Amino acid sequence: MSVVLETTIGDLTIDLFTKERPHSCKNFLKLCKLKYYNFCLFHHVQSNFVAQTGDPTGTGSGGQSVYGILSGIEARYYEGEKKPKIKHDRPGLVSMVNCGDNLIGSQFFITLGEDTTCSLDEHIVFGEIAEGHDVLLKLNETICDATHRPYQDIRITHTVILEDPYADPDGLIVPGQSPEPPLEVLQSDRIGADEDITEDIDIEELEEKRLEKEALARATILEIVGDLPSADIAPPENVLFVCKLNPVTSDDDLQIIFSRFGKIVSCEVIRDKKTGNSLQYAFVEFDNQKSCEDAYLKMDNVLIDDRRIHVDFSQSVSKIKWLGKGRGVKYTDKDDEGKNISDKYSKYRNKKRDSYDSRNNYIKNKMSTHESKRYKKDDNNYKYRESEKEERTPHSKYKRNEKDNYRRHENDDKTRKNYRNEGERRNEKDRKNEKDDKYKRSNRDDRDKRNDRGDRTKRIDKHDRDSRR
């Protein structure tokens, strides 16, 4: 009794061990008869070990036996045969996967190594590959990712039963034709089984191609649900996405900071519609792409209001409206819903703006006072230079002598005044020291009197005690 598995890389003919494994062979044949394995993915391929399939979900956690299909989820598994024991001692053996406690569903694997008995002893061998060993070599050489999943899908396309010795269970309805491929297969982010891949492509290129297909699949889903006008649409290149903001950072603050890179068309901190609180991310739109790129290169990880922000190019297309099939798109500017949510928030914005204006006025006044001081200093320097010019005149020697005499008298007066002040300070210090000495002497006399009084009372007490005796 044999079954032919038609795969995307070739055909495999399986000879079944119907005498040794009757229940497993019956389950496998009836699942093939129901075309249950059509489009199943080889989701786990490990070189020189195993190639596993039989899960319609392609995750490795799904699948059920034919009894589960007919009787319900309670009969999802059946108990496999333990005897006679058949070892996994050569490549090409077909074995049902033991899901625990000797329970069998629909998943099975094909051995690719010489001796895998130790690690696969719990699973149940029910057949062997009779034809298609070249296909086994392709399976063994396929390129996989870190989870041992092939980059390019390898699927079972069809199953052909050459002979079936078992009667059909009650309620088994054989479909007249092969089912259509499910939506998960068509929208998979993996490289399709029918896609051509040359031998020169390495693992990095395969991974890049897989990521591109994954992005396209996600865009297609967003187009289906209506979030995107078209799967091929691209976000604008002059808008930056800014996140990790401080909740106190406002639109005006960001506009002032980012305006040094170029003209800003709009700057919006996204806020909660009900409370008006900042959601800590914003969008900054420039009038050209060059300014946007400069801001992206220089503003990432910059400290704003004690927070290090993160800057990236925007991926939002919320301002692009789809006009219909064949009519293109229209760029619209939505009203800024976050700016006038409530009167309280509007007052807060006005207060913030007023504080900013007052701060600017303070800076301007400070600059003006600084300028006036500088001009005054320059004026003094000018007067000093004029005085030097006067000293160079013929009568400058006489004037200089007068000035020197005046300065000398002025210095003498200052010296006398300093001596007089110093003498007053010394007299005051001496008076203070005399007061302190008097206070200390009075304290010492009081302490001596108290001690004499205490000694006198002690002597009197002692004399009274002696007289009583």
Side-chain angles (χ1 to χ4, degrees), residues 87-89 115-122:
K87 295 182 178 181
H88 300 79
D89 55 358
D115 188 6
T116 56
T117 303
C118 297
S119 55
L120 301 175
D121 193 32
E122 60 179 356

Side-chain angles (χ1 to χ4, degrees), residues 239-253:
V239 180
L240 282 182
F241 171 73
V242 185
C243 62
K244 297 183 180 180
L245 292 172
N246 194 313
V248 302
T249 305
S250 65
D251 306 348
D252 299 333
D253 298 335

Side-chain angles (χ1 to χ4, degrees), residues 27 39 45 102 126 160 258 377 447:
N27 175 60
F39 305 109
V45 178
N102 204 37
F126 71 96
V160 180
F258 281 87
K377 187 176 181 182
R447 187 169 60 252

Side-chain angles (χ1 to χ4, degrees), residues 304-343:
I304 297 179
D305 291 335
D306 297 331
R307 292 284 183 90
R308 294 209 173 268
I309 65 170
H310 175 64
V311 178
D312 200 352
F313 289 102
S314 173
Q315 301 297 318
S316 174
V317 290
S318 59
K319 294 187 178 182
I320 300 177
K321 183 179 180 182
W322 188 43
L323 300 178
K325 188 174 182 180
R327 287 182 286 177
V329 296
K330 179 183 178 182
Y331 290 84
T332 60
D333 290 328
K334 292 185 177 181
D335 295 335
D336 194 359
E337 299 176 351
K339 290 187 177 180
N340 294 313
I341 295 167
S342 62
D343 295 338

Side-chain angles (χ1 to χ4, degrees), residues 86-350:
I86 303 174
K87 295 182 178 181
H88 300 79
D89 55 358
R90 59 188 181 275
L93 292 176
V94 185
S95 182
M96 297 299 293
V97 175
N98 185 353
C99 299
D101 297 332
N102 204 37
L103 297 178
I104 309 301
S106 64
Q107 294 190 45
F108 65 93
F109 61 84
I110 304 170
T111 59
L112 303 176
E114 291 292 338
D115 188 6
T116 56
T117 303
C118 297
S119 55
L120 301 175
D121 193 32
E122 60 179 356
H123 304 289
I124 300 171
V125 179
F126 71 96
E128 184 178 7
I129 300 295
E131 296 180 6
H133 288 87
D134 56 334
V135 179
L136 288 184
L137 291 176
K138 292 181 182 178
L139 271 174
N140 195 41
E141 295 172 357
T142 188
I143 302 174
C144 303
D145 58 14
T147 60
H148 302 291
R149 180 168 176 171
Y151 281 103
Q152 185 178 22
D153 287 349
I154 301 174
R155 297 183 181 272
I156 299 172
T157 57
H158 194 59
T159 54
V160 180
I161 301 173
L162 300 181
E163 186 179 353
D164 183 6
Y166 304 105
D168 293 340
D170 295 337
L172 184 71
I173 301 174
V174 180
Q177 60 182 4
S178 297
E180 294 293 329
L183 187 63
E184 291 81 4
V185 176
L186 298 176
Q187 294 184 350
S188 173
D189 60 339
R190 316 294 293 189
I191 300 174
D194 55 346
E195 296 185 28
D196 294 331
I197 300 179
T198 60
E199 296 181 358
D200 297 335
I201 297 179
D202 57 3
I203 298 177
E204 293 181 358
E205 293 179 355
L206 287 174
E207 180 68 17
E208 184 178 354
K209 193 171 183 180
R210 186 190 69 80
L211 292 175
E212 289 178 358
K213 189 170 182 182
E214 180 182 358
L216 181 60
R218 290 178 179 175
T220 304
I221 293 172
L222 292 176
E223 181 183 3
I224 292 172
V225 300
D227 285 355
L228 280 181
S230 174
D232 299 329
I233 198 168
E237 297 180 347
N238 62 331
V239 180
L240 282 182
F241 171 73
V242 185
C243 62
K244 297 183 180 180
L245 292 172
N246 194 313
V248 302
T249 305
S250 65
D251 306 348
D252 299 333
D253 298 335
L254 284 182
Q255 187 164 359
I256 292 170
I257 293 170
F258 281 87
S259 60
R260 66 190 183 95
F261 299 101
K263 184 179 179 181
I264 294 179
V265 178
S266 66
C267 180
E268 178 184 1
V269 176
I270 307 302
R271 299 181 178 275
D272 186 85
K273 289 185 178 180
K274 293 183 179 180
T275 63
N277 296 330
S278 172
L279 299 180
Q280 301 180 25
Y281 69 93
F283 293 93
V284 181
E285 182 180 357
F286 291 88
D287 64 340
N288 59 77
Q289 183 180 350
K290 180 67 170 56
S291 302
C292 185
E293 291 176 354
D294 293 342
Y296 168 74
L297 294 174
K298 295 183 179 180
M299 290 301 296
D300 191 27
N301 206 32
V302 170
L303 193 68
I304 297 179
D305 291 335
D306 297 331
R307 292 284 183 90
R308 294 209 173 268
I309 65 170
H310 175 64
V311 178
D312 200 352
F313 289 102
S314 173
Q315 301 297 318
S316 174
V317 290
S318 59
K319 294 187 178 182
I320 300 177
K321 183 179 180 182
W322 188 43
L323 300 178
K325 188 174 182 180
R327 287 182 286 177
V329 296
K330 179 183 178 182
Y331 290 84
T332 60
D333 290 328
K334 292 185 177 181
D335 295 335
D336 194 359
E337 299 176 351
K339 290 187 177 180
N340 294 313
I341 295 167
S342 62
D343 295 338
K344 182 179 179 181
Y345 178 51
S346 300
K347 292 177 181 178
Y348 170 75
R349 286 177 58 82
N350 295 333

Side-chain angles (χ1 to χ4, degrees), residues 7-23:
T7 70
T8 55
I9 59 173
D11 298 342
L12 295 169
T13 303
I14 302 174
D15 285 345
L16 302 178
F17 302 155
T18 54
K19 291 182 180 181
E20 295 85 352
R21 301 286 189 264
H23 297 302

